[in-house]
Amino acid sequence: MVIAHTIQEFQKARLALQGSVGFVPTMGALHQGHLSLLQRARAENDCVVVSIFVNPTQFLEGEDLEKYPRKEDADIEICRLAGVDILFMPTIEQMYYKDELIILAPKIRGYILEGAKRPGHFDGMLQIVMKLLNLTSPTRAYFGKKDAQQLSLVTQMVHDYFMNIEIVPCEIVRDKDGLALSSRNVYLSSQERLRALSISRSLQKASQMVMAKEFRVDVITEAMRIILRDVDSIEYVKVVDRFFYPIEEVKPQASIILVAAFVGKTRLIDNLWI
Ligand code: AMP
């Protein structure tokens, strides 16, 4: 495995790859969720490229940029064992220039839900993903459904900018107790972690209701909010279609139920594709 820290090192290593390339962009502190993306990329491509970069432009003022978990040595080992060909770990200076041009998320779909709660987050996310996709020039790039709106916007960017890359959505990986894996789960105390389980429980409840043919969004989200009393504050409980437009009736096979909530100081998101 080549570990590249500069653009030049990366480009040299990339030139040496032959055949199809699967790319997995991450912010590190890798867990089983990331590993599932790596394994899928490994299975479906001749070569695998992974990036680890805690991207400052997608963090808002006052968010956890400085204390975002960093586990470089363990991450390198995980990538090596997963058969990654190139691990790209650039510095901020390598990735950004002064007064560079910017990419803006779409005005509607980029500024609802996560985009409303974290204005500017998706601009920064799309900016770094565009750079990484252009540098890597992959055949396929792998994104988790855990960050559903991110996945949707990246898919739109690739479409709108005529980028010849297949975006592959990957299933959410959860702990045995149902909590969706996230690098940010390490912030939770054991007591908070227990309360955080209400998020996945509320989604399970929604799933049961849909299976019992309850499709009214107001009824479903009301039942979810009762379970979500265990969290400290709910940012949103919403149901959207696959294009992220809010809907009033769940359509099976075509809807996403999303939750964002704070448990203590930790902001958690989760969702269910239904
Ligand atoms: P991050 O390091 O949090 O930026 O995540 C990198 C990629 O891993 C993104 O595409 C995420 O959606 C994906 N990911 C994070 N957590 C999970 C999970 N629990 N299951 C599946 N994919 C995940």
Side-chain angles (χ1 to χ4, degrees), residues 205-269:
K205 173 74 180 169
S207 160
Q208 287 159 3
M209 290 174 82
V210 172
M211 282 197 286
K213 304 227 176 324
E214 175 57 79
F215 298 127
R216 289 168 298 174
V217 163
D218 52 349
V219 177
I220 293 171
T221 52
E222 196 44 48
M224 291 175 71
R225 280 176 184 276
I226 291 170
I227 295 172
L228 285 166
R229 281 182 189 150
D230 280 356
V231 304
D232 290 299
S233 67
I234 299 172
E235 291 227 302
Y236 58 76
V237 182
K238 264 271 182 301
V239 184
V240 295
D241 66 17
R242 292 282 202 264
F243 299 97
F244 265 83
Y245 291 110
I247 49 177
E248 281 170 17
E249 289 255 310
V250 170
K251 289 184 199 68
Q253 311 296 323
S255 310
I256 310 173
I257 306 179
L258 304 127
V259 179
F262 273 97
V263 179
K265 291 199 172 91
T266 309
R267 187 173 184 280
L268 298 171
I269 58 170

Side-chain angles (χ1 to χ4, degrees), residues 82-94:
V84 170
D85 296 280
I86 308 176
L87 173 57
F88 184 39
M89 304 174 82
T91 58
I92 293 171
E93 293 70 33
Q94 287 290 311

Side-chain angles (χ1 to χ4, degrees), residues 40-200:
R40 182 140 179 216
R42 182 69 277 167
E44 295 177 356
N45 300 278
D46 297 313
C47 307
V48 176
V49 174
V50 173
S51 64
I52 294 179
F53 181 63
V54 181
N55 173 41
T57 67
Q58 71 190 65
F59 284 77
L60 272 61
E61 198 75 28
E63 287 189 341
D64 56 344
L65 174 62
E66 276 80 34
K67 69 168 186 148
Y68 194 83
R70 287 165 169 85
K71 294 185 181 168
E72 234 180 67
D73 294 343
D75 288 350
I76 291 172
E77 204 43 37
I78 289 170
C79 289
R80 208 187 293 282
L81 291 172
V84 170
D85 296 280
I86 308 176
L87 173 57
F88 184 39
M89 304 174 82
T91 58
I92 293 171
E93 293 70 33
Q94 287 290 311
M95 292 311 290
Y96 287 108
Y97 304 101
K98 285 204 183 79
D99 192 29
E100 66 171 51
L101 65 80
I102 49 171
I103 292 179
L104 296 177
K107 290 255 181 319
I108 300 170
R109 298 174 67 233
Y111 286 87
I112 53 172
L113 298 161
E114 286 299 286
K117 295 291 174 191
R118 305 178 69 192
H121 164 70
F122 286 131
D123 300 341
M125 181 280 289
L126 291 171
Q127 182 183 26
I128 194 65
V129 171
M130 173 70 103
K131 281 172 183 269
L132 291 168
L133 291 179
N134 284 341
L135 261 174
T136 306
S137 195
T139 319
R140 303 179 185 87
Y142 294 79
F143 288 84
K145 288 182 176 177
K146 162 87 171 28
D147 299 279
Q149 199 173 0
Q150 164 175 289
L151 165 62
S152 165
L153 292 172
V154 169
T155 306
Q156 182 182 352
M157 178 173 77
V158 165
H159 170 270
D160 292 0
Y161 282 77
F162 311 113
M163 299 161 78
N164 189 21
I165 298 166
E166 182 190 344
I167 301 298
V168 183
C170 300
E171 295 307 320
I172 299 176
V173 177
R174 299 174 180 282
D175 255 335
K176 280 198 200 81
D177 55 15
L179 187 69
L181 295 185
S182 161
S183 305
R184 289 190 167 102
N185 289 353
V186 296
Y187 300 152
L188 298 169
S189 68
S190 50
Q191 206 272 343
E192 286 172 340
R193 201 179 180 290
L194 277 178
R195 291 195 289 119
L197 293 180
S198 61
I199 298 175
S200 54

